[in-house]
Amino acid sequence: MKRTLQLAMVGGGEGAFIGAIHRAAAALDGDWRLVAGAFSSDPARNRRSGDMLGIAPARTYASLEAMLAAESALPEAERVDAVSIVTPNHLHAPMAIAALDAGFHVFCEKPMALSTAEAQEIAQAAARSGRHFALAFTYSGYPLIEEARARVARGDFGKVRLVQVEYSQGWLSQPIDRDGNKQAEWRTDPARAGLGGCLGDIGTHAFHLAEHVSGLRVEQLCADLATHVSGRQLDDDVSVLLRLDNGARGVLKATQVAAGDENGLKLRIHGEAGGLEWSQMEPNSLVLRWLDRPMETVRSGGPGLAPSTLQRLRTPAGHPEGYIEAFANLYRAFAARILGDAPGPDDAFPSIAAGLRTMAFVESVVANAGSDSKWTQLEFTPGS
């Protein structure tokens, strides 16, 4: 029988959005069981969270440090296998490094860290510990994102010329970060969010998706950052022109002040012979457009899908799969890597390389937007 891996969580307690999503995704395929956690720095909220989740009081810890010490002291068969980090950004690096050095695998929320230097420290910790590190770039888990990537890679559209990605939200159109909204408050605080507000929160998703599907790497960028809500300390609106390594051109738009927009992540890629279009709010359809024949719509679960796409499906055509299922695909791939059942390709789930590139992207955008330079080189490449 396949072993169910044991999971601990840091953060994600009572009232937190993303912690609940991680828990649902991890549980979906039966690969993981949440058995421990340090869910909040507030002792009462931490206890309530543990009780709500059915965690034994002895394994509801007051801090990450207490959890790592206690779990490390347990027999190997009883201790947790991995730690899921779902805290604000400024805690990602120190917590990930501590967990890796203690001998635990890590599944971390994005962005990877506050800087490329911190991200490199995580990479070094993963290398010296021999443990695996996964990063929650959720949208790469969608079946039709994998289908799009497979079709680009096999040359269906010819040489890629254009990459356009947009992530449009409206939830920060008003100063709710100053009105007690906890999710907004830390995301607009430079000490906890890092260099980028909207840039770090959803711009990194857009950047990762553009590179992941196109198979190309951004070499240069020209950026504009704006803060539309008065008094806000970080950007809430991002526009970036991209030059990619095969000569293709790209545009990345991310905003959290498009009043009325929900979660509008969209990707378009065009080559010499045609192109594709995908929207996260209609994730079970992939639109293909051609120069020499009618438009096609490829459906999730339908015929003609790539083998790697089929591995990400759970239901027949016409039964919608969405965000949690995409997230679960990452947790499933992470479990397979840990267990050695089906290691798969290096990019079966986003990992160190994706985290390092997105941090280099954030720093390059901030540097370019704050300077008089038209173009800034994105210096980092995996292995550097």
Side-chain angles (χ1 to χ4, degrees):
M1 291 180 62
K2 181 179 72 173
R3 181 166 75 90
T4 298
L5 295 167
Q6 298 199 92
L7 183 67
M9 180 168 283
V10 188
E14 184 183 72
F17 156 69
I18 202 63
I21 297 295
H22 275 259
R23 292 190 290 269
L28 192 59
D29 293 304
D31 293 315
W32 297 93
R33 185 165 66 95
L34 184 71
V35 298
F39 303 103
S40 174
S41 58
D42 177 87
R45 183 178 290 116
N46 187 43
R47 286 193 300 272
R48 288 196 302 270
S49 299
D51 290 343
M52 175 186 69
L53 297 169
I55 306 299
R59 298 183 85 176
T60 300
Y61 299 100
S63 66
L64 172 70
E65 294 76 17
M67 184 174 76
L68 295 179
E71 292 294 321
S72 296
L74 293 173
E76 186 174 356
E78 297 178 22
R79 71 180 67 134
V80 298
D81 296 285
V83 176
S84 180
I85 299 173
V86 294
T87 62
N89 303 348
H90 69 295
L91 298 173
H92 291 179
M95 287 184 166
I97 292 167
L100 290 164
D101 282 343
F104 299 101
H105 305 285
V106 170
F107 196 116
C108 188
E109 255 304 319
K110 56 87 210 122
M112 188 174 179
L114 294 187
S115 67
T116 300
E118 278 193 353
Q120 291 281 15
E121 291 177 11
I122 296 174
Q124 292 162 9
R128 66 177 172 258
S129 70
R131 295 299 186 258
H132 297 297
F133 178 88
L135 200 55
F137 283 117
T138 317
Y139 305 103
S140 63
Y142 275 103
L144 288 186
I145 282 296
E146 177 58 27
E147 183 67 19
R149 187 170 75 130
R151 289 174 182 250
V152 171
R154 75 187 184 203
D156 287 14
F157 310 106
K159 180 183 176 182
V160 172
R161 290 173 170 170
L162 304 173
V163 178
Q164 298 167 284
V165 62
E166 172 187 324
Y167 202 154
S168 184
Q169 298 176 341
W171 73 292
L172 289 179
S173 293
Q174 298 296 323
I176 61 173
D177 41 330
R178 299 199 299 272
D179 296 337
N181 186 301
K182 288 177 64 66
Q183 298 301 316
E185 188 254 344
W186 74 257
R187 283 177 168 84
T188 57
D189 176 10
R192 288 177 287 172
L195 292 174
C198 175
L199 173 63
D201 195 28
I202 62 173
T204 51
H205 273 303
F207 172 78
H208 176 258
L209 200 64
E211 289 200 336
H212 178 72
V213 177
S214 72
L216 303 175
R217 295 293 175 262
V218 173
E219 289 189 332
Q220 292 181 305
L221 55 82
C222 175
D224 180 59
L225 295 178
T227 305
H228 291 283
V229 175
S230 178
R232 186 167 286 163
Q233 297 183 72
L234 290 173
D235 62 273
D236 51 28
D237 187 47
V238 182
S239 303
V240 190
L241 298 177
L242 309 171
R243 288 178 172 174
L244 295 104
D245 57 7
N246 76 332
R249 296 299 191 260
V251 178
L252 184 152
K253 178 65 184 179
T255 185
Q256 292 176 312
V257 293
D261 277 9
E262 295 176 346
N263 204 56
L265 175 60
K266 299 177 182 179
L267 175 70
R268 290 191 292 168
I269 295 178
H270 292 272
E272 300 162 317
L276 63 84
E277 181 176 338
W278 179 85
S279 170
Q280 198 271 156
M281 291 178 65
E282 184 59 50
N284 298 307
S285 296
L286 177 66
V287 176
L288 309 180
R289 304 180 192 276
W290 308 102
L291 283 176
D292 59 354
R293 59 187 187 272
M295 179 187 79
E296 301 173 50
T297 299
V298 176
R299 291 286 293 164
S300 180
L305 299 176
S308 57
T309 303
L310 296 175
Q311 292 173 8
R312 289 164 169 78
L313 293 169
R314 292 177 172 79
T315 61
H319 295 74
E321 296 185 34
Y323 181 68
I324 291 177
E325 290 87 351
F327 221 131
N329 282 333
L330 304 188
Y331 267 101
R332 183 168 61 184
F334 189 45
R337 181 68 55 80
I338 291 169
L339 293 170
D341 293 341
D346 289 343
D347 55 3
F349 54 86
S351 187
I352 298 292
L356 289 168
R357 278 201 64 78
T358 51
M359 290 315 308
F361 169 72
V362 168
E363 292 182 350
S364 298
V365 167
V366 171
N368 182 270
S371 75
D372 294 326
S373 299
K374 182 174 181 180
W375 294 99
T376 294
Q377 199 78 14
L378 204 163
E379 298 290 352
F380 175 80
T381 55
S384 69

